[in-house]
């Protein structure tokens, strides 16, 4: 490798490291408070995921359960530079967790900002009730308006009396699921995930959307195929 290439590569590496550590140094006060929560050791760049890189896939669940037993009922991890809080008690889910204060979160109509992961869904699902947020779209006010409007529209759908009328659909789709599972009788093991997801799609689309999609049909559903694509 030519000396000039090595020099340029070295300079770029140093600049990247300076930027990284500068970013780490300038973390907000809330993230510094976040680190006061118990949790596994965190390392630069990789956070707390370093030990997981050397585990087999079937060992990850046991590893996670070990962290829960050690640090419960609440602990923090770092997925690279992204902070995460793990909670085990229902009352903690209702609140935004910080060491300085507690704010009701799930019962609030103000705290509707979604995580960065939801950005990947915008091109597919737009910014409706599931994905609308106050910070991840350009028109914040419009996004909040849309969220409140959709929330108001869908609330009556989940009234207990309306759910009672869906029992027939639940029963019908569950019977189809049972018939599908019969072919697996006697199998030593099988993947139940495709069966459950298609049954759930059948139920939610016919009840909430009023449109049967026949996801469990042998011919296959265009919608299901589109989701997987």
């Amino acid at each position: 490798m030519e000396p000039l290439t090595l020099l340029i590569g070295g300079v770029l590496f140093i600049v990247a490291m300076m930027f990284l550590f500068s970013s780490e140094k300038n973390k907000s006060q809330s993230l510094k408070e976040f680190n006061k929560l118990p949790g596994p050791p965190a390392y630069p760049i990789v956070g707390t995921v370093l030990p997981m890189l050397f585990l087999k896939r079937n060992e990850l669940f046991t590893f996670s359960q070990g962290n829960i037993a050690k640090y419960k009922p609440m602990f923090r991890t770092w997925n690279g530079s992204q902070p995460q809080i793990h909670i085990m008690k229902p009352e903690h889910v209702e609140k935004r967790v910080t060491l300085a204060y507690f704010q009701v979160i799930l019962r609030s109509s103000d705290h509707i900002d979604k995580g960065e992961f939801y950005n990947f869904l915008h091109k597919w699902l737009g910014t409706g009730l599931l994905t609308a947020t106050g910070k991840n779209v350009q028109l914040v006010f419009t996004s909040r308006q849309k969220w409140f409007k959709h929330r108001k529209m869908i609330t009556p759908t989940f009234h207990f009396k309306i759910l009672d009328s869906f029992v027939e659909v639940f029963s019908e789709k569950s019977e189809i699921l049972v018939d599908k599972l019969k072919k697996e009788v006697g199998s030593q093991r099988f993947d139940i995930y495709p069966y459950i997801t298609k049954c759930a799609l059948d139920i939610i689309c016919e009840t909430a959307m009023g449109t049967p999609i026949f996801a469990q049909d042998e011919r296959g559903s265009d919608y299901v195929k589109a989701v997987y694509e």
Side-chain angles (χ1 to χ4, degrees):
M1 189 176 292
E2 297 181 1
L4 181 59
T5 304
L6 287 173
L7 179 61
I8 294 175
V11 171
L12 291 175
F13 177 78
I14 292 173
V15 171
M17 288 299 101
M18 290 175 62
F19 177 81
L20 176 66
F21 287 112
S22 174
S23 175
E24 291 287 319
K25 186 177 180 180
N26 294 326
K27 282 179 181 175
S28 67
Q29 184 63 33
S30 62
L31 293 186
K32 292 179 182 178
E33 293 290 319
F34 172 86
N35 258 336
K36 293 180 181 179
L37 288 169
Y43 303 95
I45 303 177
V46 296
T48 59
V49 301
L50 183 61
M52 302 176 68
L53 300 178
F54 303 98
L55 296 176
K56 296 179 181 179
R57 185 175 179 180
N58 59 357
E59 296 173 335
L60 292 175
F61 180 76
T62 303
F63 177 80
S64 298
Q65 290 297 105
N67 278 337
I68 291 174
K70 184 176 182 180
Y71 301 112
K72 66 181 183 181
M74 181 193 309
F75 66 96
R76 59 100 186 107
T77 59
W78 286 91
N79 185 11
S81 61
Q82 295 296 316
Q84 297 177 337
I85 291 180
H86 304 263
I87 50 184
M88 286 88 221
K89 292 185 176 181
E91 55 266 29
H92 292 161
V93 181
E94 295 181 353
K95 304 174 185 241
R96 173 186 295 179
V97 183
T98 67
L99 297 187
Y101 60 90
F102 286 81
Q103 280 187 310
V104 175
I105 184 74
L106 290 188
R107 289 181 292 171
S108 169
S109 58
D110 294 324
H111 303 294
I112 63 171
D113 293 340
K114 304 297 194 301
E116 297 297 326
F117 172 79
Y118 282 82
N119 291 341
F120 295 104
L121 300 177
H122 286 166
K123 288 187 178 180
W124 177 30
L125 300 177
T127 53
L129 182 63
L130 176 65
T131 58
T133 180
K135 65 180 180 180
N136 290 337
V137 294
Q138 293 179 349
L139 301 177
V140 173
F141 183 69
T142 303
S143 178
R144 286 186 177 272
Q145 276 187 322
K146 181 183 293 187
W147 186 91
F148 285 117
K149 181 180 179 181
H150 289 190
R151 182 69 178 86
K152 187 176 181 180
M153 289 171 61
I154 202 172
T155 297
T157 305
F158 295 98
H159 192 280
F160 288 114
K161 291 184 179 179
I162 295 179
L163 290 176
D164 288 341
S165 66
F166 294 153
V167 171
E168 290 185 9
V169 177
F170 299 155
S171 177
E172 176 192 344
K173 303 307 178 184
S174 298
E175 288 176 2
I176 296 175
L177 173 63
V178 171
D179 287 337
K180 297 293 181 183
L181 291 176
K182 283 180 179 178
K183 69 178 184 180
E184 301 290 355
V185 173
S187 300
Q188 188 173 11
R189 63 175 62 183
F190 68 95
D191 185 2
I192 199 173
Y193 180 77
Y195 295 103
I196 297 297
T197 53
K198 290 178 181 178
C199 180
L201 271 174
D202 263 351
I203 291 173
I204 192 64
C205 288
E206 190 158 339
T207 54
M209 310 301 175
T211 303
I213 63 169
F214 309 106
Q216 299 181 90
D217 194 295
E218 292 292 346
R219 295 169 297 175
S221 164
D222 290 338
Y223 177 73
V224 174
K225 291 177 182 177
V227 170
Y228 281 106
E229 288 175 2

